[in-house]
Amino acid sequence: MIEAICIGAVRGGTSIVFASLGETVTERSGVVNLGMEGSMLAGALAAYAVGIETGSVWLGAAAGMAAGLALSLVHAFLVLVRGANQIATGLAVTFLGLGITALYGQSYVSQGVNAFEVVPVPILSDIPFVGAVIFNHDPLTYLSFVAVPLLWWFLFHTSTGLRLRASGEGPGVLSAMGISPSASRWLAISAGGALAGLGGAQLATAFARTWSEDMVAGRGFIAVALVIFAGWNPLLTIVGAYLFSGAVAFQLELQANGTGISIFLLDAIPYVVVIVVLAALSRRRRHAAPAALDDVFQVDATLV
Amino acid sequence: MTSLSAPTEPEHTETRAAVAAESAGPDQPRAGTASLRVAGSMIAAFFVFTLLLLAKGVDPVEAYRAMWDSVTRDANSFGDVLVRLTPYLLAALATALPARAGLLNIGGEGQILLGAIGAMAMANALGQAVPRYPTLVLMAIAAMVSAALWAGIAVALRQFTGTSEAISTLLLNYLAFLALGWLVFGRWKDPGATGFPRSRILTDTERLPILFGRVHVGVVVAVIAAALLWAALRWTPWGFRLTVLGRNPEAARRAAFSTGKLTASALMLGGALAGLAGMLQVTGVEGQLRPQMMAGYGFTGVLAAWMVRHHPLRAIASSFLLAAIAIGGNGLKIRAGLSAASVNILMALLLLAVLGWGTHKVKAATT
C-alpha cells in the first residue's frame, strides 16, 4: 500500500511540480500569477490536440508549453506595461484559459489519445520499491526530476537568476543600478507560463490521457499555494507537490479498500493537509517571501 | 470614475488626511474621459472575442444574435438575467466589502455553498412547523451565519498563523464543494431521487415569493444589500475605519483602530453576503441541493467586483452585464452548438480591458 501511495504521489504530482516551479520563478521576480490554472488548461488542450493532429507527443508537449506561455504573456503585459492588479489579472487570465479551452476543446472531448508511454529505466527500475516509485514513469516525469535542480541552479547560481531574484527582493536597487526589473519579470512570467503549460501537457497526455473541460480542476491554484509551502525554493516545490498528490493517492487507496468513510470526506484530505501545513508554516515562511510581493496583496478599492 | 470619490466627513482629522493623501493622485482626469476609456476598452474586448469566434469558424453575427435573442426573447429570458444577477451581485459584494479593508476574498464560491447548506439545515430543523415568512427569514439567517463562520476560518488562519486570506479562501472553496457532495450523496440524499443524487425538494413554505415569471424577490434583496453596503461604507464610522485600514494600515494602527475586529467583520460579513446568495438561489431557483449547483458563481462575482473596483452600487451594473453574458452563453450552446463556458472568454476579456485600460492611474509594478 505504501508503494502504491508513493507511485501515485509521483504520477499525479508531476503536473503540479511543473506548475509550482513556474509559479516559483514568477514569484521570485516579484509577480504573482494566479493564471497558472489557465496556463495549465491551455497547455493540456494544446498538447492533446497537437498530439492527435501531428501524431507526435513531443510536438504536443512543445505546443503545451507554447500555449501556457502565450496565456502568461497576457498577464505579463497587463501587469508590467499597464500596471494592472496582479491578483485580478491572474484570475481573469484563468477565466480566459477556461473559456478558450472550452471553445476550442469541444471537438476533442473524449477523442482517442496519442499519449506518452511509461518508459522504465533499464536496470534502475528493477530496484525494489525505489525502482517502481521513481524509475517507472513517462518521459515528462523524468524531465521534472531534472527540471527541479536545474531551476534551482538557474535561480541561485547564474547572473540572470540573480537579477531575477533581485527584481523580486529590491526592484528599486536594481533600477538604481541601471538594470530594468521588468526585463527579468517578462522572462520569469513567460518561463512560468511555459512550465505550467508543460504541466498541463503532462496531465492530459501522460497522466489522465484524455481531454475534458476544466480538467485541471484546481491543480494550478494548489501549485500557487505550494510555493508558499516551499518557501520559494524550487527544491522544496517537489516535496509540496508530492505531499498533495500523495494525500490524493492515500485517500484513493482508502476508497479502493472500502473503509466505509464517505468518499467526499476522503477527497477532502489533500486540501486539509495543504491548509494545515500552510497554517503551520506561514509565519516561518514570511521572511522567505520576495519583498516585492508585499505590494501585490494590496487592494485598491475605489472610494464611495 | 472619480466624481463620486469625495472623502467622507469623519471626526478623525488626522486619519482623514492620511486617506486623502493616499487617494488623491496628481493625475486624475475628468470623469468623462474615464468613462470613455472604459467604454472603449470594453468595445475592444468584444472585438477580440469576435476574432476568437472567427478563428473557431463560427459566424460571429450569428453567435451574437443567438446571445442577444436568449437575453431579449421575452419577459422570461430577461427575467433569467435578473435571476442570475442576484447571486453574482451578492458574490461581488462579498469581494468588494473585504477589499475595502484591503482583504482578498476569493472564497465566494464556497461561501455561497455554505449558505445553501445552512439554509437547508434550518429548513430541515424547522420541519414545516413555522409559517412561510418566518421560515424564510430563519433560513436566510442560518445561511448568513454558516457562511460567515466559514469565512471566519480564513480570518482565524490569518490572525493566528499569518496565512494569506487569498490562499485560504481559495482552498476552502474545494472543501465547501466536497461538504455539499458529502451531504447530497449522504444523509440528505432524497431516497426518491432517481438518477442523479439530490436533496429533498423544498416545500412551498420554504420557497421565495415570485415577482413575475421566474423572477423571485431575491433580486430586490440583492440590490437593497448593495445600497445598504454602499451607505454603510460611506456614512458609518465602521465604513470609514475599514477604508482607512485598507488604504493606510499604518494610519489605522496609529489611530488605535481594533484592526483585528475590523478584518474579521469585513471578511465574515462578506461571507455572509455570499451565503445569502446561496440561500436565495436554493429557495428562489433550485428548490433543492444538487452536487454541481452554482459552480462558478462565486468567481464570476469576483470578476464583477474588480470590474468596478469594488464600488457596491456600480457592482449592480457589472453583475447585470455578466449575468446577461452568462444567459447569452445558453444561446451560444443551444443555437451555435458551442460550449456554454465559451462566454468565460468574454467575461475575462472585459475584466482585463477594464483592469488594463479603464482605470485612471497606471501604477507601474516596477516602482
Side-chain angles (χ1 to χ4, degrees), chain B residues 38 41-42 306-308 349-359:
Chain B
V38 172
S41 56
M42 286 189 156
W306 280 96
M307 276 179 82
V308 292
L349 287 172
L350 285 170
L351 177 59
L352 289 171
V354 173
L355 287 172
W357 289 271
T359 48

Side-chain angles (χ1 to χ4, degrees), chain A residues 34 56 66 74 122 145 159 182 184 209 275 285:
Chain A
L34 287 184
S56 160
V74 175
F145 296 160
S159 58
S182 107
S184 287
R209 295 161 165 256
I275 291 174
R285 289 286 186 249

Side-chain angles (χ1 to χ4, degrees), chain B residues 166-210:
Chain B
I167 301 292
S168 61
T169 52
L170 186 57
L171 293 175
L172 283 169
N173 288 334
Y174 296 99
L175 291 181
F177 168 74
L178 292 169
L180 177 70
W182 175 59
L183 287 167
V184 173
F185 280 81
R187 66 177 59 180
W188 283 0
K189 185 177 173 184
D190 184 353
T194 51
F196 291 106
R198 54 168 177 76
S199 76
R200 72 177 176 91
I201 310 253
L202 293 178
T203 61
D204 285 347
T205 52
E206 297 156 348
R207 297 293 303 258
L208 281 184
I210 295 293

Side-chain angles (χ1 to χ4, degrees), chain B residues 41-72:
Chain B
S41 56
M42 286 189 156
I43 291 168
F46 273 93
F47 180 69
V48 175
F49 186 57
T50 308
L51 291 182
L52 288 170
L53 287 175
L54 281 170
K56 166 78 181 167
V58 177
D59 178 3
V61 177
E62 187 52 39
Y64 283 124
R65 187 174 293 154
M67 286 179 72
W68 182 254
D69 284 352
S70 57
V71 172
T72 60

Side-chain angles (χ1 to χ4, degrees), chain A residues 73-118:
Chain A
L73 289 181
V74 175
H75 188 66
F77 181 76
L78 270 124
V79 167
L80 299 179
V81 179
R82 303 299 310 172
N85 180 286
Q86 302 182 8
I87 301 294
T89 307
L91 280 175
V93 165
T94 284
F95 249 69
L96 189 61
L98 256 173
I100 288 180
T101 52
L103 178 63
Y104 292 103
Q106 205 181 21
S107 42
Y108 289 101
V109 172
S110 64
Q111 266 204 16
V113 66
N114 189 12
F116 276 100
E117 296 303 329
V118 169

